Amino acid sequence: MTLVTTLYVGLFYAATIILIVGVALRIKKYAQTPSPLKIPTMPAPRTQTGVVMRIFREVVFFESLFRANKWTWIFGYLFHFGLLLVLLRHLRYFTEPVWFWVNWIQPFGKYAAFAMVIGLLGLWGRRFLVDRVRYISTPSDHLILALLVGIGLSGLGMSYLAHTDIVSVKTFFLGLMRLSPQPLPADAFLLTHLALVALLMIIFPISKLMHAPGVFFSPTRNQTDSSREKRHIASWAQQLEAGER
Amino acid sequence: MADFEVPVLNEYPVIPKVKEGVMAHSAPFLAAEKFQTPLGFPGELPENWKEVAIDKMGELLGKYRSLQVFLDICVHCGACTDKCHYYLGTADAKNMPVARQELLRKVYRRYFTFAGKYFPKLVGAVDLTKEVLDDWYSYFHQCSQCRRCSVFCPYGIDTAEISMAAREILDTVGKGQKYCNEIIGKVFVVGNNLGLPEPALRDTLEGLEEEIEEDTGVKVRLPLDEKGAEILLITPSADFFAEPHVDGLIGYAKVFHEAGVSWTVSSKASEAANFGMFIGSYENMRRVALRIREAALELGAKRIVFGECGHAWRVAYSFLDTLAGPFDFLDQNYPIPQHICEFTNNLIKENKLRLNKAENDHMKLTFHDSCNVARGAGMGNVEGGQFTIPRALIKASCNYFYDMPQDTIHDATFCCGGGGGLLTDDLMEVRVKGAQPRMEALKRVTEEHGVTNLAAICAICKSQFAKTLPYYGFTMDQIVSVHQLVSNAIVLKGSEQEAELDGTAE
Ligand code: HEM
Ligand code: HEM
Ligand code: SF4
Ligand code: SF4
């Protein structure tokens, strides 16, 4: 095995562990922290089914963002929807045989990459052009956008400028998954692409990217409006009560 | 009349350009030691204040999922930046909801996250210093916890939750706010925010009985501490005291009278407000709420009805059962607790109230959705009942009603500018400036429909508008209570008004 291959094998194992363990620990923390009070943003659904629908609309349509700001919504939606298709398209590197529906979306995946990058550039533009958004932007906000744009451009580079040996890439990743590392083609676009992807995986659990799992834990969105029907009490509040009565 | 510039009202809303630090001077009076100790807070900054503050933050992060999740997941998308009335009215950068959260978040990052511990500059994390503490004190008292930002945030991040946590931390290091903490103390000792003792209350209620009899010829009772009454009315103490609140109270009394139910006010729980929520203190909020339970038990009441008060209704609707429940000793056939608007609306639907709309013909009305009712509570056990029910009452009592622009009502309503514990003279500047978006919307319907009056169901809104309307060229008496309108229109059985209408007057 070449040095490059060894490095990337180590990098991807580490990044995967950090991503999975890191996100799992954060989710565990969110799940275990109690919500002592009923605080859904009203009017809220009165049933659990209603809540599922509300979160579905937030995740699939970015409903609240649509009400808030049309430009952010358009760019945000282009980016996320593009990202979703791109990631689904990427499943072909990790499955053998490739699932039939992953094959179906291959053609859309190519355009999705442009949508993703355009969306990202639009969002990034806001950070310079809109004074309010400029004020609240931190260096890490810019860097995360740069990272994603970098991933997108290096990916597009492989698709349109200098093709990589996709079959070998797939062999490499299947090898990783089967714990028998295989050689990785060493062209610049691919190595850049993969290094940036690994970085993204590593920072995911310690950054604002936690918004993706976090949105499901937001009490203002995931609670029902049922405070007059069913008593809601947190364990620590119950202890407080027990101490007095 | 002001030593600050009153914002202009534009024809259409304008999002101001960001200005830094223009409201940094705004801060409420600090609570003296005597107002801190009864609530269990120190009177001044302890020597190890930094440790105390960080420990408190850690404790709250473990107790409130909202805080933990909200501090983690904001992506700085900026969707909330132009949604806060304080930002729109002051243009101060730190009054953008996300920037306000950031004051706490950057300290959270520094002490509780990997990125903030090792790469503080990158993620904008800072050490907790006295300057940061002062910034907290200033800007977390420029948030009325109205939750408008949470409606528009793609993750529902609620700056009110952050403000509450910040105020709780400030309290634990001796930086309490005089207005809120003094009032909570008064509730514990006297029973209400205004510090009205039992004899004064009795006097007032008797006075109102006489007034109603003079006006209508009917003996309508306003009982106090009456054991065995079916309904315990919990209402903001402003209702006993000032215009236009007291006209609302007269309205409730007339409605109860027509319904033929027995009811009473309690001197022990003569206050609906619960400022424990404003300071984010579960313990204090609970102590205030427990008085209501005790009063209901002592008086043997079967139902609890709340008068017109915004944040009180949020605490009542959303938190009361949690804080002071279970209310298994009350009549389970009625909502626990019930809002006076729900009560009146039911009577209207059952055709049990006779209302003469012409009595309100000298007014053209619009309705101000109070933030805590709109976004923090419900009514009528239907989604959005808090919007339709008060409007139904107004429309049943008045011939002329016009809504303000769509993006300023219902769940997008603008706070009056005085909520969340800011209703104090030492915060007049931020109150007046924060009222700008609401005043602008009011001006629109004034010009388009000739609206003359603004109705509300919140004691804080009413007091705030009475003070701020004049700054914008309106008059203080343009704010009215919803039950004042009901009161004007109601035709009591056996009253002079009934006789006149039916042509049976001598
Ligand atoms: C459940 C899945 C997800 C949902 C519902 C979601 C939703 C959102 C929303 C509503 C925004 C704010 C608007 C915008 O800027 O687009 C946002 C921002 C962002 N999301 Fe996601 N997201 C999800 C997953 C992801 C994933 C997997 C990534 C990256 C790998 C990601 C990266 C970002 C970034 C970088 C931003 C900030 C954009 C900026 O700087 O303006 N999101 N997300
Ligand atoms: C270990 C994970 C990944 C591997 C092995 C990988 C590999 C590749 C390869 C081989 C290509 C070239 C495709 C072609 O020539 O047709 C590509 C393209 C691309 N990749 Fe990745 N990638 C990974 C993760 C990601 C992630 C996480 C993102 C997005 C955040 C991303 C975004 C893109 C884009 C936008 C393209 C160009 C359009 C396309 O062909 O789909 N990749 N990637
Ligand atoms: S809760 Fe209301 S006052 Fe506070 S930041 Fe949000 S919009 Fe502004
Ligand atoms: S809308 Fe929500 S996620 Fe976006 S900046 Fe505001 S608080 Fe953060």
Side-chain angles (χ1 to χ4, degrees), chain B residues 388-467:
Chain B
T388 51
I389 290 176
R391 285 176 173 77
L393 298 194
I394 299 175
K395 288 177 189 164
S397 313
C398 311
N399 280 313
Y400 307 106
F401 175 79
Y402 307 91
D403 256 322
M404 285 179 280
Q406 209 57 44
D407 51 354
T408 73
I409 58 169
H410 293 186
D411 64 340
T413 188
F414 280 109
C415 165
C416 62
L422 308 191
L423 192 74
T424 168
D425 286 348
D426 39 318
L427 291 175
M428 210 50 188
E429 178 176 359
V430 75
R431 283 173 56 189
V432 170
K433 292 182 172 175
Q436 189 262 0
R438 174 46 79 224
M439 293 295 113
E440 206 163 85
L442 177 62
K443 188 163 168 239
R444 271 283 283 285
V445 281
T446 306
E447 284 166 2
E448 282 172 16
H449 303 290
V451 162
T452 59
N453 290 79
L454 179 65
I457 49 170
C458 170
I460 288 178
C461 296
K462 294 172 200 170
S463 308
Q464 158 77 354
F465 286 136
K467 263 274 172 53

Side-chain angles (χ1 to χ4, degrees), chain A residues 3-17 172 176 181:
Chain A
L3 178 65
V4 170
T5 301
T6 317
L7 267 175
Y8 274 77
V9 168
L11 185 61
F12 267 90
Y13 278 133
T16 309
I17 291 172
F172 175 81
L176 280 185

Side-chain angles (χ1 to χ4, degrees), chain A:
Chain A
M1 264 194 321
T2 62
L3 178 65
V4 170
T5 301
T6 317
L7 267 175
Y8 274 77
V9 168
L11 185 61
F12 267 90
Y13 278 133
T16 309
I17 291 172
I18 290 175
L19 176 69
I20 293 176
V21 175
V23 171
L25 286 177
R26 277 335 267 174
I27 289 185
K28 184 165 163 239
K29 174 162 241 163
Y30 298 161
Q32 286 179 346
T33 309
S35 290
L37 295 165
K38 278 281 201 173
I39 58 165
T41 312
M42 299 290 224
R46 296 185 52 79
T47 62
Q48 203 56 46
T49 327
V51 163
V52 171
M53 291 310 293
R54 184 182 203 178
I55 295 186
F56 178 84
R57 292 195 307 271
E58 287 295 1
V59 171
V60 178
F61 305 120
F62 297 2
E63 183 181 46
S64 298
L65 183 63
F66 185 79
R67 275 183 79 180
N69 191 307
K70 299 292 185 280
W71 281 113
T72 312
W73 183 85
I74 289 170
F75 291 130
Y77 209 77
L78 272 176
F79 158 53
H80 284 87
F81 196 65
L83 174 70
L84 178 71
L85 283 181
V86 164
L87 290 181
L88 292 177
R89 185 170 128 93
H90 274 62
L91 284 175
R92 64 182 167 152
Y93 305 128
F94 307 95
T95 50
E96 184 57 48
V98 176
W99 302 327
F100 67 95
W101 56 268
V102 174
N103 280 324
W104 287 356
I105 54 174
Q106 292 305 322
F108 307 107
K110 285 222 161 172
Y111 303 107
F114 291 103
M116 176 182 143
V117 173
I118 291 168
L120 282 168
L121 294 178
L123 290 171
W124 208 351
R126 284 178 54 79
R127 297 208 179 275
F128 294 103
L129 300 176
V130 181
D131 63 337
R132 286 168 284 125
V133 187
R134 193 187 322 135
Y135 177 86
I136 60 169
S137 299
T138 60
S140 62
D141 295 327
H142 290 284
L143 288 175
I144 291 178
L145 286 167
L147 179 63
L148 285 161
V149 170
I151 294 176
L153 292 181
S154 55
L156 282 167
M158 283 183 280
S159 295
Y160 294 99
L161 298 177
H163 293 290
T164 189
D165 178 359
I166 291 187
V167 178
S168 305
V169 172
K170 178 158 182 171
T171 314
F172 175 81
F173 278 95
L174 287 177
L176 280 185
M177 288 161 69
R178 292 167 186 158
L179 303 181
S180 77
Q182 305 292 322
L184 180 71
D187 53 276
F189 279 135
L190 181 67
L191 294 186
T192 313
H193 193 65
L194 294 184
L196 294 179
V197 168
L199 186 58
L200 181 76
M201 292 163 75
I202 291 168
I203 63 162
F204 198 100
I206 55 165
S207 70
K208 65 176 190 178
L209 296 177
M210 282 303 291
H211 69 283
V215 59
F216 299 97
F217 291 91
S218 173
T220 53
R221 293 291 183 265
N222 74 9
Q223 291 185 341
T224 51
D225 163 14
S226 57
S227 48
R228 285 198 295 190
E229 285 85 49
K230 194 167 164 292
R231 185 153 194 244
H232 174 93
I233 183 133
S235 51
W236 61 261
Q238 220 149 17
Q239 278 165 19
L240 191 83
E241 249 172 45
E244 280 170 22
R245 284 189 186 165

